[in-house]
Structures are given as structure tokens and as C-alpha cells.
Amino acid sequence: MKNNLPKLYLLGTKINRQHLQLIWTIIALALLVLGIGAPTDGGGASG
Amino acid sequence: MILWLGLGAGLVTGLGWSRWRGHPYRSPTLVYLWLVFLGFLPQFFVIYLGNNRFTFPDWLVALSIIISQLILLIFAWLNRHLPGMPILIAGLVLNLAVMIANGGFMPINPNTAERIVGTERIASFEFGNRIGFKDILLPATETRLEWLADRFLPPVWLPYQVAFSLGDIFIALGAFGILAYQKSST
């Protein structure tokens, strides 16, 4: 049990890092497509 | 929106693919991530923050959009090794080309815009007025690279109407590829 603790800690940090990386990646890709795309649904239209 | 559809479908496909193959989902490894935030910043200030898009002069908004897209192009180029990124870059270049050719905004013709904002509202617009966040109302005959403009529409029966360009289609496909592709574990 004692030997498993470091392994569990390592697994926990790994999962957290993987999740964080996924979140950052999705945020970055969302900003990227929002920044380079130019579709319009009329939101914020001014005439 | 077509862009969110590409991202969402890509993520769901990637998660499904990894689950089917029995390994955890591997998110794509993007490098120079800070460039995305730096690149998006000019657009955030002039378009998305408060009423800035109505109060800032058109030239400043157009300039900010172009600078922003150029920085994002550098970021995309530095990540061109990712599957799907070359398609996304192609879309970016197409949008950038038509926007630069038309004063920094994405042109949309009155017929297309009518489907988006309605017949009554379109009557209050004049040519050269901005529509939405990045579009400008221009007649097709006065639009440079018109085939790259916001000219595509979903079927009429769809409750959500949006106009999009050829570049937007490429961007959505590229975003889908980036999130959907799962490298072989071998």
C-alpha cells in the first residue's frame, strides 16, 4: 500500500496534466477558429 | 455556427475513436500557445469587448482584424505538423485574402444578408455598412474575390441561418481533423 501511494500520486498528476492540456488546447482552438473564421448570423448587426 | 460544429464534431469523433481503440484521448500538442492569445487580443478589444465595434472607426477595426489574423496565421504555420492544420491554414488564407481585398472586412451581398437579418432590417442598411462582427455589405458586382465571400447559406428550413465562406468551410474541416485524429499507439 505504501509503495502504491507514489504511483497513485503520479497517476493523479498525470491525469490532471492531461485534462489541463486538453482544456488549454480546446480554448486555444476555439480562439483560433473564432479569430480566423468570418461567418455571420447577424449578431451585432448595425444598420 | 459552422466553426463550433467543426470543433465539437472533431472532439466527439476523437473521443469516440480513442474509446473504440481502448486508449485515453490524446489531445493535439500545440506549440507557441501564447501566440493564439496574443493574436486574438486585437479582435477581442475592437469587436467583442462592449460596444467597441460600434464606436471604433472602421479603419481601426479592419486593421486590428488583419493584424490579428496575421498573428494567428503565424501560430497556425508553427503548428502545421498537426493533421488538419494545413486545411485550416488554407481556410485562413482564403478568408484573409478576401478580407484584405475588400478593406479588411468579409463582404456579404444583400441577397445573402437578407436571409440573415430579414427583409425589413436589410432595408435600413447601406452598402459599406458593417453586418455582424466582421462582415460588410457590398453588392456582388463590387466585391473583389466574390467567390471567397460569405455567400453560402444553410437550407431555408433550418431555424438557424448563418452565412459562411469557402474559407470557413476549410477552417471547420481543419478544426475537425485536429481534434478527431488520434495517433496510432504503436
Side-chain angles (χ1 to χ4, degrees), chain B:
Chain B
M1 186 195 271
I2 181 173
L3 303 174
W4 301 129
L5 197 68
L7 277 176
L11 184 60
V12 169
T13 305
L15 287 168
W17 187 358
S18 60
R19 196 179 173 86
W20 180 62
R21 289 170 62 169
H23 63 69
Y25 177 74
R26 295 188 181 96
S27 62
T29 310
L30 295 164
V31 294
Y32 299 99
L33 216 57
W34 58 272
L35 264 176
V36 180
F37 298 96
L38 179 73
F40 189 74
L41 215 55
Q43 287 195 43
F44 176 73
F45 275 116
V46 300
I47 296 179
Y48 298 104
L49 191 66
N51 282 328
N52 285 355
R53 65 177 178 276
F54 301 122
T55 53
F56 282 6
D58 284 354
W59 68 266
L60 183 61
V61 177
L63 187 69
S64 301
I65 292 173
I66 299 302
I67 289 172
S68 169
Q69 294 205 334
L70 286 172
I71 297 171
L72 293 173
L73 176 60
I74 294 170
F75 168 78
W77 181 255
L78 290 170
N79 286 280
R80 65 188 181 279
H81 61 279
L82 289 175
M85 192 59 92
I87 302 170
L88 185 139
I89 292 172
L92 195 169
V93 170
L94 294 180
N95 273 359
L96 191 58
V98 67
M99 289 170 83
I100 288 175
N102 291 278
F105 294 103
M106 175 59 80
I108 184 169
N109 71 59
N111 290 336
T112 309
E114 191 178 341
R115 274 268 297 274
I116 304 301
V117 297
T119 311
E120 282 181 20
R121 278 187 78 191
I122 198 67
S124 65
F125 283 82
E126 291 175 8
F127 290 133
N129 278 163
R130 281 163 52 201
I131 289 188
F133 295 107
K134 299 179 191 172
D135 282 42
I136 189 169
L137 188 71
L138 282 178
T141 50
E142 288 179 27
T143 301
R144 296 188 183 98
L145 303 175
E146 204 275 328
W147 58 284
L148 293 178
D150 270 355
R151 63 204 302 271
F152 299 103
L153 289 161
V156 185
W157 49 264
L158 268 182
Y160 178 67
Q161 289 296 309
V162 57
F164 51 95
S165 65
L166 186 63
D168 291 330
I169 297 172
F170 276 81
I171 291 166
L173 288 173
F176 174 86
I178 291 167
L179 285 173
Y181 180 77
Q182 287 293 285
K183 209 167 24 179
S184 173
S185 54
T186 51

Side-chain angles (χ1 to χ4, degrees), chain A residues 1-14:
Chain A
M1 182 66 188
K2 231 178 186 179
N3 288 341
N4 285 340
L5 279 176
K7 284 180 186 173
L8 282 173
Y9 174 76
L10 200 67
L11 184 69
T13 52
K14 196 179 172 188

